[in-house]
C-alpha cells in the first residue's frame, strides 16, 4: 500500500496498491462512517487481489 506510487515503482516494489492520502492512507475522516468502512473494505479487497496475483514486474492494483 502506498500513497506515493512513483516512489514504490522507483524502488522496485512488485505489487503496489494506491491509498487515499498521506495523512490518512487507509481512510478518510471526512466521510460518513458507512462510506469510510466501504472505502477501507475496498482497499483490503485490492490488497488481497494484489497478494494473490502473480506479477513479473511492478504492478499497480
Amino acid at each position: 500500500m502506498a500513497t506515493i506510487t512513483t516512489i514504490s515503482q522507483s524502488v522496485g516494489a512488485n505489487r503496489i496498491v494506491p491509498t487515499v492520502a498521506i495523512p490518512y492512507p487507509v481512510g478518510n475522516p471526512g466521510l460518513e462512517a458507512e462510506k469510510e468502512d466501504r472505502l477501507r473494505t475496498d482497499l483490503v479487497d485490492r490488497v488481497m487481489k494484489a497478494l494473490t496475483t502473480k506479477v513479473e514486474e511492478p504492478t499497480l492494483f
Side-chain angles (χ1 to χ4, degrees), residues 19-47:
T19 58
V20 179
I22 291 172
Y24 306 104
V26 292
N28 181 345
L31 294 176
E32 299 171 6
E34 185 178 312
K35 289 182 180 179
E36 186 172 17
D37 285 346
R38 187 72 202 138
L39 171 68
R40 290 178 181 200
T41 299
D42 290 344
L43 281 170
V44 170
D45 289 345
R46 281 195 285 157
V47 168

Side-chain angles (χ1 to χ4, degrees), residues 5-61:
T5 58
T6 54
I7 292 173
S8 298
Q9 290 171 317
S10 70
V11 298
N14 56 0
R15 292 171 178 85
I16 305 164
V17 177
T19 58
V20 179
I22 291 172
Y24 306 104
V26 292
N28 181 345
L31 294 176
E32 299 171 6
E34 185 178 312
K35 289 182 180 179
E36 186 172 17
D37 285 346
R38 187 72 202 138
L39 171 68
R40 290 178 181 200
T41 299
D42 290 344
L43 281 170
V44 170
D45 289 345
R46 281 195 285 157
V47 168
M48 295 307 295
K49 179 181 178 185
L51 290 172
T52 58
T53 301
K54 185 175 179 176
V55 296
E56 301 292 329
E57 58 187 35
T59 305
L60 235 56
F61 288 87

